[in-house]
């Protein structure tokens, strides 16, 4: 049985001739192109000089993973011209020369026109990416202050900007190449689409910027979550990552085809992705994945001494800390942390502190926090004024369960399951949290 090799080499449509030369190079080394599965699949055989031609099929679709009916009809025409279809992926059609007297598949000007059309359709992503870039830039400059403590939004924004930049640079580069090729045709010179001098090895690995950006985004999220010990988000990200990887592998191996290639591929991918996400989530639940940090009885005093605030600080010592959860975000000009403390007898306390020396940031953050709370607050303005004075704050709200307090450089949310806090407890909180 012959050996099989999978090579992850990436080519753009304006490098179709370079792709053909790559297949010829591999054939001279004894590796013959069989088609696409997980990457390009090559089968080992005798070193041989084989002539390939890679055409950009104008009726092809980016989602085509197997030859469509139009591509098969096109291949019959090419077969009469002396070329055998090897495989199809997207708009790429790979042909192997069958006869020495094989004629040119399409005229030079038609080939260039097909490449132009493919690049235009691929560059349509720019229509989506430019608004994403502009929105990202807006969020970075102004609206970002609304989400300044949210690492997930921050990472999504940076990833969107990176992908937008990559697609923009790639589209401009492709346009310049095609423009230069068009000039060559006008002067009677036959253009070569790609780099004639590029050196390859039999294990070449190409670079796909979009896939790399997605992978780096996932890795970045996992690193952030690991640093912050945010195991719930980490679990969801890992589930999504596993689902995407399995979807990619299955769609590559199964290679859906038929009259509606795009529909089969996209529907299949989403069904697989959703199914695996649900399975991973419930598997974590069944296996008892616990995102809270358990506290051993012997470690309670040590753990509590490392926390900004505990029930002991409020003079409540008849409950024992069982577990907790914490979250910390830090940027160059703001800091946020939150704790969820779970005691015995279903008693708990949670608090969150957002801190920044930029007043405008805190104002926007405050408006978000109290937007929903205002509707549920039953106290009169006079009572709310008393709550504000009680906390020595700029502004404060209490909805019967949760306090939300604003200071010049801090916003504090605190909730105690046993009810309203006394003046002495509020004083202790202010001292411990430096309010």
């Amino acid at each position: 049985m012959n050996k099989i090799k999978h090579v992850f080499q990436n080519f753009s449509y304006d490098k179709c001739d370079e792709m053909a030369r790559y297949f010829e190079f591999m054939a001279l080394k004894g590796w013959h192109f069989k088609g696409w599965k997980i990457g390009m699949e090559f089968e080992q055989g005798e070193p041989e000089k084989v002539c390939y031609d890679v055409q950009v099929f104008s009726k092809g679709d980016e989602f085509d993973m197997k030859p469509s009916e139009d591509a098969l009809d096109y291949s019959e025409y090419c077969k009469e011209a002396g070329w055998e279809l090897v495989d199809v992926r997207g708009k790429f059609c790979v042909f192997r020369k069958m006869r020495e007297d094989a004629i040119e598949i399409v005229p030079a000007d038609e080939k260039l026109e097909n490449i132009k059309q493919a690049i235009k359709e691929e560059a349509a992503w720019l229509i989506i990416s430019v608004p994403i870039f502009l929105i990202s830039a807006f969020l970075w400059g102004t609206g970002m202050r609304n989400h300044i403590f949210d690492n997930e939004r921050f990472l999504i924004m940076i990833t969107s900007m990176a992908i937008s930049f990559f697609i923009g640079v790639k589209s401009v580069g492709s346009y310049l190449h095609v423009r230069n090729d068009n000039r060559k045709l006008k002067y009677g010179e036959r253009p070569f689409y790609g780099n004639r001098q590029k050196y390859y090895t039999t294990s070449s690995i190409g670079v796909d910027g979009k896939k790399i950006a997605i992978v780096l985004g996932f890795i970045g999220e996992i690193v952030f979550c690991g640093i912050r010990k945010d195991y719930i988000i980490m679990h969801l990200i890992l589930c999504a990552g596993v689902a995407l990887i399995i979807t990619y592998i299955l769609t590559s191996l199964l290679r859906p085809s038929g009259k509606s290639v795009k529909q089969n591929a996209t529907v299949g991918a989403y069904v697989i992705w959703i199914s695996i996400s649900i399975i991973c989530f419930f598997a974590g639940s069944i296996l008892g994945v616990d995102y809270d940090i358990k506290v051993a009885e012997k470690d309670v005093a040590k753990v509590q001494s490392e926390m900004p605030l505990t029930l002991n600080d409020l003079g409540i010592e008849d409950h024992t800390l069982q577990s907790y959860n914490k979250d910390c975000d830090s940027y160059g000009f703001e800091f946020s942390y939150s704790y969820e403390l779970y005691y015995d007898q279903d008693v708990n306390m949670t608090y969150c502190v957002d801190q920044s020396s930029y007043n405008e940031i805190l104002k926007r953050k405050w408006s978000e926090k109290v937007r929903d709370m205002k509707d549920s607050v039953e106290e009169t303005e006079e009572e709310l004024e008393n709550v504000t004075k009680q906390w020595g704050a700029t502004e404060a709200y209490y909805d019967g369960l949760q306090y939300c307090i604003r200071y010049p450089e801090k916003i504090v949310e605190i909730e105690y399951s046993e009810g309203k806090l006394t003046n002495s407890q509020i004083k202790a909180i202010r001292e411990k949290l430096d309010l």
Side-chain angles (χ1 to χ4, degrees):
M1 185 175 178
N2 291 341
K3 288 176 66 177
I4 298 294
K5 179 195 291 287
H6 292 93
V7 177
F8 298 91
Q9 179 64 47
N10 186 59
F11 292 92
S12 55
Y13 290 122
D14 58 334
K15 290 189 169 90
C16 56
D17 286 345
E18 185 182 331
M19 180 190 281
R21 297 298 83 81
Y22 175 66
F23 293 146
E24 292 171 0
F25 162 80
M26 292 293 283
L28 286 172
K29 299 293 182 181
W31 292 100
H32 302 280
F33 180 63
K34 304 299 291 181
W36 278 278
K37 282 193 178 177
I38 301 177
M40 293 176 175
E41 185 176 87
F42 292 86
E43 184 177 23
Q44 191 176 38
E46 292 297 322
E48 186 181 350
K49 186 175 181 180
V50 182
C51 183
Y52 285 92
D53 191 0
V54 177
Q55 292 291 327
V56 178
F57 183 46
S58 60
K59 293 183 181 179
D61 192 284
E62 291 292 338
F63 286 84
D64 286 353
M65 303 185 76
K66 260 188 176 180
S68 63
E69 290 184 0
D70 286 332
L72 291 175
D73 290 341
Y74 179 60
S75 71
E76 287 300 315
Y77 158 77
C78 297
K79 193 171 185 178
E80 292 177 7
W83 297 90
E84 177 189 15
L85 179 67
V86 181
D87 202 6
V88 171
R89 175 61 65 95
K91 288 180 178 290
F92 281 126
C93 286
V94 180
F95 295 94
R96 185 189 294 114
K97 194 173 184 180
M98 297 167 56
R99 305 192 309 262
E100 286 300 322
D101 62 343
I103 62 174
E104 188 177 43
I105 295 177
V106 295
D109 56 343
E110 185 179 338
K111 184 169 185 174
L112 178 59
E113 197 57 41
N114 290 339
I115 292 171
K116 280 182 184 178
Q117 185 61 33
I119 290 172
K120 283 180 184 177
E121 291 181 22
E122 194 177 35
W125 284 99
L126 195 60
I127 298 172
I128 300 171
S129 66
V130 167
I132 290 175
F133 178 83
L134 294 175
I135 292 168
S136 300
F138 168 76
L139 290 174
W140 181 267
T142 55
M144 184 59 189
R145 290 174 293 189
N146 292 332
H147 314 296
I148 207 71
F149 302 103
D150 193 329
N151 270 334
E152 281 68 40
R153 290 177 186 265
F154 181 82
L155 188 62
I156 289 169
M157 184 195 70
I158 294 298
T159 304
S160 298
M161 291 176 72
I163 293 174
S164 299
F165 179 76
F166 167 78
I167 294 174
V169 170
K170 186 171 180 284
S171 299
V172 170
S174 296
Y175 169 76
L176 293 175
H177 285 150
V178 170
R179 186 179 176 187
N180 186 49
D181 293 333
N182 197 46
R183 190 181 297 115
K184 287 179 181 178
L185 269 181
K186 285 183 179 178
Y187 288 99
E189 184 182 350
R190 186 179 183 84
F192 181 88
Y193 301 105
N195 186 349
R196 289 179 186 270
Q197 309 301 325
K198 191 164 183 180
Y199 174 76
Y200 291 104
T201 68
T202 55
S203 59
S204 295
I205 298 178
V207 176
D208 189 329
K210 284 178 280 189
K211 288 189 178 70
I212 287 176
I214 292 170
V215 170
L216 290 178
F218 270 105
I219 293 173
E221 277 286 1
I222 292 169
V223 170
F224 270 132
C225 293
I227 293 172
R228 297 161 51 202
K229 295 185 178 180
D230 193 341
Y231 301 116
I232 295 177
I233 299 296
M234 181 184 283
H235 180 210
L236 294 175
I237 292 168
L238 287 172
C239 287
V242 170
L244 286 173
I245 291 169
I246 294 177
T247 299
Y248 174 75
I249 293 172
L250 287 179
T251 51
S252 295
L253 292 174
L254 298 176
R255 302 188 64 194
S257 62
K259 292 183 178 179
S260 181
V261 176
K262 182 187 292 187
Q263 184 177 347
N264 287 343
T266 52
V267 171
Y270 279 115
V271 168
I272 293 169
W273 189 90
I274 292 170
S275 300
I276 294 174
S277 296
I278 293 171
I279 290 169
C280 289
F281 183 80
F282 281 105
S285 303
I286 292 168
L287 293 172
V289 177
D290 195 343
Y291 305 109
D292 295 328
I293 302 171
K294 300 292 184 183
V295 182
E297 190 173 346
K298 62 183 179 61
D299 297 327
V300 170
K302 180 178 180 296
V303 171
Q304 290 192 135
S305 68
E306 296 172 351
M307 293 179 176
L309 180 69
T310 66
L311 286 185
N312 283 17
D313 298 317
L314 306 186
I316 303 170
E317 299 181 355
D318 52 347
H319 296 290
T320 305
L321 183 65
Q322 303 288 309
S323 63
Y324 70 96
N325 210 325
K326 69 175 181 178
D327 186 12
C328 297
D329 286 330
S330 179
Y331 297 89
F333 42 86
E334 65 285 320
F335 177 69
S336 173
Y337 65 87
S338 63
Y339 281 81
E340 298 175 11
L341 310 182
Y342 302 99
Y343 292 80
D344 55 4
Q345 300 175 41
D346 292 328
V347 174
N348 59 70
M349 178 174 70
T350 64
Y351 55 92
C352 174
V353 179
D354 297 325
Q355 180 175 336
S356 175
S357 56
Y358 294 84
N359 185 53
E360 186 64 22
I361 291 174
L362 286 184
K363 277 174 65 178
R364 289 176 177 270
K365 193 74 178 177
W366 174 258
S367 66
E368 281 189 350
K369 286 181 178 293
V370 301
R371 186 183 298 130
D372 297 328
M373 186 178 275
K374 285 180 179 179
D375 298 330
S376 59
V377 168
E378 297 179 357
E379 277 85 349
T380 63
E381 286 188 18
E382 186 178 346
E383 287 172 323
L384 287 176
E385 209 172 295
N386 290 335
V387 174
T388 304
K389 287 178 181 177
Q390 192 179 22
W391 283 91
T394 306
E395 193 174 353
Y397 283 91
Y398 177 63
D399 62 3
L401 184 65
Q402 181 183 42
Y403 289 93
C404 196
I405 314 109
R406 180 184 165 202
Y407 292 92
E409 294 189 357
K410 288 182 182 178
I411 293 174
V412 180
E413 293 174 278
I414 188 163
E415 181 181 326
Y416 173 44
S417 61
E418 297 298 283
K420 208 166 187 176
L421 298 167
T422 65
N423 286 336
S424 60
Q425 289 171 336
I426 290 173
K427 183 180 178 182
I429 292 170
R430 292 187 62 189
E431 289 176 357
K432 291 294 292 183
L433 300 183
D434 192 25
L435 303 177

